[in-house]
C-alpha cells in the first residue's frame, strides 16, 4: 500500500510496557499529513503480554472547516489480536487455532486476567496517545485561518498576470515557488505546481499544472525577496545524559521559502548545554520518583502499605547503590466488624459426577476476610443437579428352563429349553442373545416288527398326548403348564426423565405329567418416558 501512505510512523519501544514514565520519557514520533492523506493509524504491542495491543484506526486530523486539528488526546483500552490464548501478562505461549478476529478485551474475559471485574465494569485504560500539530507546510486549504501563524503561512503573493484558465477547468491554488535552480547570479529557473481537480468539458483542453519562472541565486535580485518564514521552535529534547552536564536540541521548520528562489539560511536546529543533578558524583546513583502507595495489606483495621522506586542510573564507579528502593508505613482501614463477609467470585462448575444419566455438580468460593472479623453465614459451596445422556441398558433374560422330554419315544429325537426376555435393550445397550436351545436325544432303538399289543400301547399314548396338546393350546404354552395371557402394561411411574411399566402372566393350569419346576407366575418390566424433563 506504499502508494497510498504518506508517512510510516516509527517510534522507539518502551520495554517493559509497565515501566513508569518517570523512569523513561514516553516514546514519540513525528509524521506528516496532507489534504489527501489525513487519516492516522497506529498499533503497538504491550509487552510482555500474549498478543495484547493498543492503537487508533483512521483518526481524522482534518477538521470540517478544511483545517487541521491542533491537539488530540485519546485514552486507550487494550485489544486482543486473536493469535494467542494467554490470560495474563506472562502466560506461556498458547497459539489460538484457528486465529480469531481482533477484539477489545473486557473485564469478564477470565478470572485470572489483570483486567477482571466480577461485576463486569468498564475495563481499565492502559495508555494515552497525544497527537499535536507542530508545524504547517506549503499551501493550506483553510478558508478562515485559525491563528496568527496560519495567517502567515497562508500568505502568498498576489497574481498580477491575467488568469486565462478556462472556466471548465477546476484547479487548486498554486503552490509556493521552489528554490532557484541556480545558487549564483547565473540565470536559473524555479517551479510551482497546482492540481487539476475537475475537467467539466472534455472537449476544452486544460493548461499545464506546472509553471516555471526565471530566477537568480540569492543576493542577485534587486528586490528583497529572500525572506523565509519559519515555524515556532519545537520543545527541547531530553538531556543527553542522566547525571551532570550534557546537551539538548530542538528543531523548527521552514513554513514559507523565499520568493526569489534563494535558499533559506535561517537555522532549523539549535543545541544548548543542560545539567541534570548537579550534585551527582561517581559513587552516587540516580533514582526515579517514588511510586504511588500500594493498597493496604488489611481489608479492615490496622495494616501496612508500601511504595517503591527504581534505580534510574547506577553509580559510574561500579559501586552498589545505597539508596533505598522501598518504603513501608502503617495504614488504617474501617472497623473490622463492618465487613465480616468478604468473598471471592464463584469458581467454574465442576464436571458432572456421573458419565451418563442424572448426577450432581458443585462450585466453590473462598472467604477473604479474616475469621476473627465475625461469623460469615454465606454459603461457600453450591450443589445442583446435572443431566447427561441416558445410560445404556442391556438386555435382561430369565434363567434357562429345564430340558423338555424327547420328542420321540424311540430312535433319534431332540429336546429343547427356553428362556424369556425380561428387559429389551435400550439406549445402545447389549442386544438379546438366543432364547431357545435344542440338543439331540435317543431313548432306545425302534422295533422293526412290533407286536399288536405294543402298537396299541403306542396309539393310546399318542392319543393321550394329542388330547393334552389340545388342552394346552387354549392358553399360552410354557413347558409343563398353561398360562393366562399377559395383562396390559401398567401406567408409567414417571411423566419424564425415565420411569417403569410392569405386566404379569399367571399360571392357568399345571400338568400332572410335567417334570418341570419352572411353571410359576411371570413378571416383565420395561422403561418408559425416557425423554428429559
Amino acid at each position: 500500500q506504499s502508494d497510498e501512505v504518506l508517512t510510516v510512523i516509527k517510534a522507539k519501544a518502551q520495554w517493559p510496557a509497565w515501566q513508569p514514565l518517570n523512569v523513561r520519557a514516553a516514546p514519540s514520533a513525528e509524521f506528516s499529513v496532507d489534504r489527501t492523506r489525513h487519516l492516522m493509524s497506529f498499533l503497538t504491542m504491550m509487552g510482555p503480554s500474549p498478543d495484547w495491543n493498543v492503537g487508533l484506526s483512521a483518526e481524522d486530523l482534518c477538521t470540517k472547516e478544511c483545517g487541521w486539528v491542533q491537539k488530540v488526546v485519546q485514552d486507550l483500552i487494550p485489544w486482543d489480536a486473536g493469535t494467542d490464548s494467554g490470560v495474563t501478562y506472562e502466560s506461556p505461549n498458547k497459539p489460538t487455532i484457528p486465529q480469531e478476529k481482533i477484539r477489545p478485551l473486557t473485564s469478564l474475559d477470565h478470572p485470572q486476567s489483570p483486567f477482571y471485574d466480577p461485576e463486569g465494569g468498564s475495563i481499565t485504560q492502559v495508555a494515552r496517545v497525544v497527537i499535536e500539530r507542530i508545524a504547517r507546510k506549503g499551501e493550506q486549504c483553510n478558508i478562515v485561518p485559525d491563528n496568527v501563524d496560519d495567517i502567515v503561512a497562508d500568505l502568498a503573493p498576489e497574481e498580477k498576470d491575467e488568469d486565462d484558465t478556462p472556466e471548465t477547468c477546476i484547479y487548486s491554488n498554486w503552490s509556493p515557488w521552489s528554490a532557484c535552480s541556480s545558487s549564483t547570479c547565473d540565470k536559473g529557473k524555479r517551479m510551482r505546481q497546482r492540481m487539476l481537480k475537475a475537467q467539466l468539458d472534455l472537449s476544452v483542453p486544460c493548461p499545464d499544472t506546472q509553471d516555471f519562472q526565471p530566477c537568480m541565486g540569492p543576493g542577485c535580485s534587486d528586490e528583497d525577496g529572500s525572506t523565509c518564514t519559519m515555524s515556532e521552535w519545537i520543545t527541547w529534547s531530553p538531556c543527553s545524559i542522566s547525571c551532570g552536564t550534557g546537551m539538548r536540541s530542538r528543531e523548527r521548520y521552514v513554513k514559507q521559502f523565499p520568493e526569489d528562489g534563494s535558499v533559506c539560511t535561517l537555522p532549523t536546529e539549535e543545541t544548548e548545554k543542560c545539567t541534570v543533578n548537579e550534585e551527582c558524583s561517581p559513587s552516587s546513583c540516580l533514582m526515579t520518583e517514588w511510586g504511588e502507595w500500594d493498597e493496604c495489606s488489611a481489608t479492615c483495621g490496622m495494616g501496612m502499605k508500601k511504595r517503591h522506586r527504581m534505580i534510574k542510573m547506577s553509580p559510574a564507579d561500579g559501586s552498589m547503590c545505597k539508596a533505598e528502593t522501598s518504603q513501608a508505613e502503617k495504614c488504617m482501614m474501617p472497623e473490622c466488624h463492618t465487613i465480616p463477609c468478604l468473598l471471592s467470585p464463584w469458581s467454574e462448575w465442576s464436571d458432572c459426577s456421573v458419565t451418563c444419566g442424572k448426577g450432581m455438580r458443585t462450585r466453590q468460593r473462598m472467604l477473604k476476610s479474616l475469621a476473627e472479623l465475625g461469623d460469615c453465614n454465606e454459603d461457600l459451596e453450591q450443589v445442583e443437579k446435572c443431566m447427561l445422556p441416558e445410560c445404556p441398558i442391556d438386555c435382561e433374560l430369565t434363567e434357562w428352563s429345564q430340558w423338555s422330554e424327547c420328542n420321540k419315544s424311540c430312535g433319534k429325537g431332540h429336546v429343547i429349553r427356553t428362556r424369556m426376555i425380561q428387559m429389551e435393550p435400550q439406549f445402545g445397550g447389549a442386544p438379546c442373545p438366543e432364547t431357545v436351545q435344542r440338543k439331540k436325544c435317543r431313548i432306545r432303538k425302534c422295533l422293526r416288527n412290533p407286536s399288536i399289543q405294543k402298537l396299541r400301547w403306542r396309539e393310546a399314548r399318542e392319543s393321550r398326548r394329542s388330547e393334552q396338546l389340545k388342552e394346552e393350546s387354549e392358553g399360552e404354552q410354557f413347558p409343563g403348564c398353561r398360562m393366562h395371557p399377559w395383562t396390559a402394561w401398567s401406567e408409567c411411574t414417571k411423566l419424564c426423565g425415565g420411569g417403569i411399566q410392569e405386566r404379569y402372566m399367571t399360571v392357568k393350569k399345571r400338568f400332572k405329567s410335567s417334570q418341570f419346576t419352572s411353571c410359576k407366575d411371570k413378571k416383565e418390566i420395561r422403561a418408559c418416558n425416557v425423554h428429559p424433563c
Side-chain angles (χ1 to χ4, degrees):
Q1 301 294 322
S2 59
D3 291 341
E4 305 298 326
V5 174
L6 179 64
T7 305
V8 175
I9 303 173
K10 293 183 179 180
K12 291 183 179 180
Q14 177 176 306
W15 189 274
W18 42 260
Q19 193 173 38
L21 286 181
N22 54 21
V23 175
R24 181 183 298 171
S28 63
E30 297 176 4
F31 62 95
S32 300
V33 291
D34 62 24
R35 65 176 61 192
T36 60
R37 289 162 293 189
H38 48 81
L39 301 180
M40 190 277 283
S41 300
F42 84 94
L43 184 76
T44 179
M45 176 186 172
M46 295 169 57
S49 75
D51 58 349
W52 301 341
N53 53 81
V54 295
L56 286 178
S57 179
E59 182 74 17
D60 196 348
L61 302 180
C62 210
T63 65
K64 293 181 180 180
E65 295 77 22
C66 195
W68 299 107
V69 296
Q70 184 65 38
K71 189 173 185 178
V72 175
V73 179
Q74 188 81 16
D75 290 327
L76 308 174
I77 64 170
W79 285 62
D80 189 310
T83 60
D84 192 290
S85 300
V87 296
T88 67
Y89 282 113
E90 297 182 339
S91 293
N93 290 337
K94 186 180 179 182
T96 303
I97 302 176
Q99 292 186 359
E100 300 173 350
K101 291 183 178 180
I102 185 172
R103 65 170 182 85
L105 291 173
T106 72
S107 60
L108 294 174
D109 282 338
H110 196 279
Q112 296 180 358
S113 168
F115 310 108
Y116 182 70
D117 179 1
E119 297 181 358
S122 57
I123 195 166
T124 306
Q125 296 165 334
V126 297
R128 170 175 291 175
V129 61
V130 179
I131 308 163
E132 190 168 11
R133 197 185 76 194
I134 56 176
R136 296 161 56 93
K137 300 180 182 180
E139 174 194 2
Q140 302 296 323
C141 62
N142 297 58
I143 297 173
V144 180
D146 48 9
N147 58 39
V148 176
D149 286 341
D150 293 338
I151 296 174
V152 175
D154 291 338
L155 288 176
E158 296 181 2
E159 298 297 330
K160 297 181 179 179
D161 299 333
E162 293 183 3
D163 190 359
D164 56 355
T165 303
E167 294 182 355
T168 56
C169 298
I170 308 300
Y171 287 93
S172 67
N173 293 329
W174 286 106
S175 70
W177 288 104
S178 68
C180 189
S181 61
S182 172
S183 59
T184 66
C185 289
D186 295 334
K187 287 187 177 181
K189 61 180 180 179
R190 59 180 181 172
M191 181 190 73
R192 63 178 181 175
Q193 301 181 81
R194 62 180 175 178
M195 184 176 64
L196 179 61
K197 291 184 175 181
Q199 187 172 357
L200 305 180
D201 187 351
L202 297 179
S203 63
V204 178
C206 292
D208 295 333
T209 57
Q210 293 182 332
D211 186 20
F212 296 90
Q213 189 180 67
C215 62
M216 290 184 292
C220 298
S221 174
D222 294 336
E223 300 177 1
D224 185 13
S226 60
T227 303
C228 54
T229 305
M230 305 298 291
S231 70
E232 295 296 324
W233 288 104
I234 301 172
T235 308
W236 286 104
S237 67
C239 198
S240 60
I241 64 171
S242 303
C243 179
T245 302
M247 299 297 293
R248 65 177 184 175
S249 63
R250 64 178 182 176
E251 297 177 341
R252 62 179 177 178
Y253 295 91
V254 178
K255 298 179 72 172
Q256 181 71 49
F257 285 95
E259 287 298 317
D260 61 3
S262 61
V263 177
C264 189
T265 57
L266 295 176
T268 58
E269 183 178 6
E270 67 178 7
T271 58
E272 70 175 15
K273 292 182 179 181
C274 54
T275 302
V276 179
N277 193 9
E278 294 180 353
E279 299 178 358
C280 64
S281 65
S283 61
S284 63
C285 51
L286 186 63
M287 308 296 293
T288 66
E289 297 295 326
W290 285 107
E292 297 293 329
W293 286 104
D294 295 338
E295 292 184 2
C296 192
S297 61
T299 55
C300 65
M302 182 70 71
M304 297 295 293
K305 63 180 180 178
K306 294 182 179 181
R307 67 176 182 175
H308 308 274
R309 63 178 177 176
M310 300 174 68
I311 299 174
K312 197 171 183 180
M313 188 184 72
S314 299
D317 59 5
S319 60
M320 294 293 293
C321 186
K322 298 179 181 179
E324 61 179 3
T325 57
S326 62
Q327 287 182 343
E329 68 177 27
K330 295 180 181 180
C331 52
M332 188 68 185
M333 299 298 285
E335 291 294 331
C336 289
H337 62 78
T338 61
I339 47 172
C341 285
L342 185 60
L343 300 169
S344 68
W346 285 107
S347 67
E348 298 292 331
W349 285 105
S350 67
D351 294 333
C352 199
S353 60
V354 297
T355 56
C356 61
K358 294 180 179 178
M360 306 296 290
R361 64 177 187 173
T362 61
R363 66 175 183 176
Q364 296 84 25
R365 59 181 175 180
M366 296 175 60
L367 182 63
K368 287 185 175 181
S369 52
L370 301 176
E372 54 266 26
L373 301 183
D375 293 332
C376 183
N377 298 322
E378 297 291 335
D379 293 333
L380 300 181
E381 184 176 48
Q382 286 184 345
V383 181
E384 72 173 13
K385 296 179 181 179
C386 51
M387 185 71 182
L388 295 177
E390 293 287 347
C391 299
I393 300 177
D394 298 336
C395 177
E396 293 183 9
L397 300 166
T398 63
E399 297 295 325
W400 286 106
S401 67
Q402 298 293 328
W403 289 103
S404 68
E405 294 182 354
C406 193
N407 68 332
K408 297 288 181 70
S409 59
C410 64
K412 295 180 180 179
H414 66 267
V415 294
I416 65 171
R417 67 174 181 175
T418 61
R419 55 182 175 179
M420 302 291 295
I421 297 175
Q422 288 185 324
M423 178 71 74
E424 294 284 349
Q426 299 181 53
F427 312 116
C432 294
E434 61 180 351
T435 57
V436 178
Q437 286 183 345
R438 67 174 62 202
K439 66 179 180 178
K440 294 178 181 180
C441 59
R442 184 166 183 166
I443 306 300
R444 55 184 171 79
K445 289 184 179 181
C446 297
L447 300 176
R448 294 185 179 180
N449 296 310
S451 63
I452 296 176
Q453 183 179 358
K454 291 181 178 179
L455 183 60
R456 289 177 179 174
W457 174 79
R458 181 187 297 170
E459 289 176 351
R461 189 178 66 180
E462 290 181 355
S463 175
R464 288 196 306 273
R465 186 172 182 82
S466 176
E467 290 178 0
Q468 180 181 341
L469 292 173
K470 182 178 179 181
E471 184 178 356
E472 291 174 357
S473 66
E474 296 177 2
E476 289 206 35
Q477 181 63 42
F478 285 86
C481 59
R482 185 170 72 248
M483 309 293 289
H484 285 289
W486 284 103
T487 63
W489 288 103
S490 65
E491 291 187 3
C492 193
T493 57
K494 292 185 178 181
L495 297 177
C496 61
I500 293 175
Q501 288 179 300
E502 299 176 340
R503 68 175 183 175
Y504 301 90
M505 178 187 286
T506 57
V507 176
K508 186 174 183 181
K509 182 177 182 181
R510 291 181 175 84
F511 302 126
K512 295 179 181 180
S513 60
S514 172
Q515 299 178 0
F516 298 101
T517 60
S518 62
C519 190
K520 58 180 73 174
D521 294 344
K522 301 184 182 299
K523 174 182 175 181
E524 280 190 353
I525 299 174
R526 71 177 183 184
C528 56
N529 293 340
V530 296
H531 57 276
C533 294

